[in-house]
Amino acid sequence: MKVLVAVKRVVDYNVKVRAKADGSDVDLNNVKMAINPFCEIAVEEAVRLKEAGTATEVIAVSIGDKACQEQIRTALALGADRGIQVETESNVEPLVVAKLLKGVVDKEQPQLVILGKQSIDGDNNQTGQMLGALANMPQGTFASEVVVDGDKLNVTREVDGGLQTVSLNLPAVVTTDLRLNEPRYASLPNIMKAKKKQLDVYSPADLGVEVTSHLTQVSVEPPAERQAGIKVEDVDQLVDKLKNEAKVIS
Amino acid sequence: MNFPVTEEQRMFLDSLRGFLEKEIYPHEAETDRAGEVPEELGEHIKRRAIEMGFYAANLPESVGGGGLDYTTMGLFERELGKVSYGLGGHLARPTEILLACEGDQVDGYLKPCVTGEKHESFALTEPGAGSDIMSMSTKAVADGDDYVINGMKHFISTPCVPDFAIVFAATGVDDTPRGPRKRVTAFLVDRGEKGFTIQRGPTCAAQRAYRTYELSFDDCRVNRRQILGEEGKGLELSDKWLGMGRVWVAAQSCGKAERLLELATDWAATRKQFGKPIGSFQGTSFKLADMATELQAADLMTMHACRQADNGLMRPEDAAMAKLYASEMVGRVADHTVQIFGGMGLMEEMPIERLWRDARIERIWDGTSEIQRHIIARSLLRPLGA
């Protein structure tokens, strides 16, 4: 089984992000970048499938400028077999990403595509679902467990109020939730091997996709700063404030 | 650190940092308070380090090591400088002196250290022979095919009880143009050898979870096959190790200073007094500026020494300058950090006081600041015959 994994280059989750002074975007100057944590979980799941003998090849794909090769190399160091970069300078939105991934799916014909449920920059949570629709593949989103069962895939999903298990026909699309697995760190020997692994670069045109934009980013601003709390003297004052100031009880 | 790294080095550092955050940082406060690392924890860290290929990363691939060059090792040591050595020591970097192993010694000592089956200790310092190593009193006297060792070594620091010691002992005296000079020989001595006892040394204020041992030799008899390298060439071996060891102390000092600077900066930006973050007062912000500047200078000196070493061009004074400057720098950075934190900086609930204590040893071990200055001055004056 061939597995395709999508990895996105995003601001490292440890970084405190700041808006640019003109409010046009998030300031990415001198900011540490990393694989989106949900994508890292996707890579881990694919590598585990390979280690279990279920997957035969794991391909990591990323879309972006040359810098995203860093994240592809990291995926290779984590155990992916080869990489694909779809080179684009523009800030692509979920629908375009899904179309480009559909192009890669058509080329590679994977049995399984694993993506993060969302990326921690845009928090869109759209790409996997759009890819499923475009490629006409069943989807198991927010996966907390993935079990291959012959030509079927049982995916346990984290839904509001509990867990739901769906059975999908392969080929299928899976998006990962936080509890699917705990990603490993790349070992030193695997880091050294990553450099020698194949990394192909395609343009959107190679995949027959035109990069267009339907969305305009109007402004980016930081969340309002939290006001400091106060201490109340007694219960009466608390009830009074909840009633008349916060207006959360009546 | 704003230093250009290769793709592999970046991935290695990312992976290493993740490893340290998960396996080391959570245990620092507790092991420091206890004054030791529980054996199971040490074994766990070691096992994980072996899985990750971080173990013996300094030794060549030909003997099963990670084969990292000196520059990458410098980056590695820099990260390890951020964490408690008692814990970080379980990501072992066996001494390169062991590469002098020959014949049976390779399987008996070098390889088990690479695979984590054995731990060595480097036994040079004595109560009466610290900086003045030629005043050592440990002797090994030839007796047939054997040598009989008598003497004592102390401050032998390792993360756990060593399986064997590389013991430096005088095997004679040579007449040289500059007067009599001891012939020093390195011996491999196994724990359990008759007449060889190992006991815990005194408690140290710095790196509390890192153990020091006292080794004593009372008519300890070893075969001449236990000589590491050649008879009388022990100091050449130790010099080789001490040279890079000084660069590693420099790198560790930089790492520790970076951790302190991050803590201090974060505190300065968030702690409010007189209605403003304390970082908005120049008494605080100028300290931060000095700390960052000195850290960058120390980093550049350390990386320069590593690169020179990779090209086979590192001079003793390159290592000495990096060690001197970086270890003194981390002392200043630690002191400033305590000052910026105020009272909280000295409380055991915060990591600052521990890092401040830990930083103090960097100016002492692997050659005191005074010895480094001596080496640097000698490099200037000796060519002029002074």
Side-chain angles (χ1 to χ4, degrees), chain B residues 305-342:
Chain B
C306 291
R307 287 195 169 161
Q308 292 295 89
D310 274 329
N311 293 316
L313 297 172
M314 192 187 78
R315 305 167 302 169
E317 56 269 35
D318 294 326
M321 286 176 189
K323 202 266 178 190
L324 169 65
Y325 188 79
S327 64
E328 300 263 334
M329 175 276 301
V330 73
R332 290 190 291 271
V333 167
D335 195 67
H336 283 328
T337 305
V338 171
Q339 198 65 20
I340 289 170
F341 271 79

Side-chain angles (χ1 to χ4, degrees), chain B residues 15-88:
Chain B
S15 198
L16 178 64
R17 283 175 189 147
F19 180 91
L20 297 177
E21 265 169 38
K22 182 157 186 263
E23 308 286 356
I24 306 281
Y25 282 86
H27 305 294
E28 284 188 318
E30 181 197 326
T31 52
D32 189 73
R33 260 195 291 276
E36 63 182 353
V37 176
E39 206 178 312
E40 320 81 76
L41 177 61
E43 276 298 309
H44 169 79
I45 296 170
K46 183 173 94 176
R47 206 169 48 245
R48 292 282 296 122
I50 291 171
E51 282 165 19
M52 298 295 293
F54 294 160
Y55 203 87
N58 58 324
L59 295 182
E61 285 173 288
S62 56
V63 299
L68 294 185
D69 58 19
Y70 288 122
T71 305
T72 313
M73 271 312 296
L75 298 169
F76 187 13
E77 296 288 352
R78 193 177 183 281
E79 290 308 306
L80 288 172
K82 295 178 185 175
V83 306
S84 156
Y85 294 164
L87 293 158

Side-chain angles (χ1 to χ4, degrees), chain A residues 12-14 16 30 32-34 69-71 73-75 77 182 184-192 194-196 225, chain B residues 2 7-19 21-22 48 51-54 57 66-68 72 266 270 272:
Chain A
D12 186 276
Y13 72 94
N14 278 315
K16 282 186 196 147
N30 278 325
K32 180 169 162 43
M33 305 295 280
Q69 287 194 5
E70 269 186 23
Q71 279 60 47
R73 287 281 172 218
T74 303
E182 193 183 336
R184 72 193 66 193
Y185 301 111
S187 72
L188 185 53
N190 283 343
I191 289 169
M192 295 305 181
K195 189 162 64 171
K196 298 183 193 95
E225 238 182 274
Chain B
N2 187 14
E7 184 79 37
E8 282 76 27
Q9 287 167 342
R10 180 192 61 76
M11 286 196 276
F12 172 57
L13 288 176
D14 280 350
S15 198
L16 178 64
R17 283 175 189 147
F19 180 91
E21 265 169 38
K22 182 157 186 263
R48 292 282 296 122
E51 282 165 19
M52 298 295 293
F54 294 160
L68 294 185
T72 313
D266 205 45
T270 49
K272 285 192 177 142

Side-chain angles (χ1 to χ4, degrees), chain A residues 63-65 86-93 96-97 100 204 210-213:
Chain A
I63 298 165
D65 59 14
V86 181
E87 191 159 22
T88 161
E89 296 292 325
S90 39
N91 193 6
V92 284
E93 58 196 50
V96 177
V97 174
L100 290 168
E210 199 186 328
V211 176
T212 51
S213 184

Side-chain angles (χ1 to χ4, degrees), chain A residues 3 23 30 33 53 67 80 122-123 127 133 145 149 152 158 162 169 172 189 202 214 217 223 225 228 236-237 249:
Chain A
V3 182
N30 278 325
M33 305 295 280
D123 272 349
T127 305
E145 196 184 359
D149 179 15
K152 295 228 186 261
E158 297 200 354
N169 290 322
Y202 299 136
H214 304 88
Q217 188 163 291
E225 238 182 274
D236 289 343
Q237 198 188 356
I249 56 173

Side-chain angles (χ1 to χ4, degrees), chain B residues 218-367:
Chain B
D218 181 15
D219 283 338
C220 177
R221 186 173 281 272
V222 293
N223 192 276
R224 61 165 59 249
R225 287 194 310 270
Q226 298 300 98
I227 291 177
L228 181 63
E230 286 175 50
E231 192 274 330
K233 297 272 196 232
L235 282 187
E236 282 85 339
L237 269 186
S238 75
D239 276 352
K240 209 169 134 188
W241 182 77
L242 290 171
M244 272 334 278
R246 285 172 185 145
V247 181
W248 303 148
V249 172
Q252 289 160 356
S253 298
C254 292
K256 192 172 284 105
E258 185 175 67
R259 184 171 174 189
L260 285 157
L261 177 59
E262 279 173 13
L263 289 163
T265 307
D266 205 45
W267 184 258
T270 49
R271 163 78 172 167
K272 285 192 177 142
Q273 287 290 274
F274 306 104
K276 286 191 263 187
I278 57 170
S280 65
F281 302 110
Q282 289 183 342
T284 300
S285 66
F286 281 16
K287 279 193 185 73
L288 294 175
D290 286 346
M291 289 154 76
T293 305
E294 292 185 26
L295 169 57
Q296 177 138 325
D299 262 329
L300 292 173
M301 291 175 80
T302 308
M303 282 299 135
H304 174 70
C306 291
R307 287 195 169 161
Q308 292 295 89
D310 274 329
N311 293 316
L313 297 172
M314 192 187 78
R315 305 167 302 169
E317 56 269 35
D318 294 326
M321 286 176 189
K323 202 266 178 190
L324 169 65
Y325 188 79
S327 64
E328 300 263 334
M329 175 276 301
V330 73
R332 290 190 291 271
V333 167
D335 195 67
H336 283 328
T337 305
V338 171
Q339 198 65 20
I340 289 170
F341 271 79
M344 280 316 289
L346 290 173
M347 297 301 137
E348 283 193 11
E349 281 64 28
M350 306 282 278
I352 320 295
E353 62 86 28
R354 189 180 72 242
L355 292 165
W356 175 62
R357 277 187 284 112
D358 288 352
R360 190 61 185 86
I361 202 171
E362 310 290 6
R363 278 179 269 170
I364 296 172
W365 63 9
D366 288 72

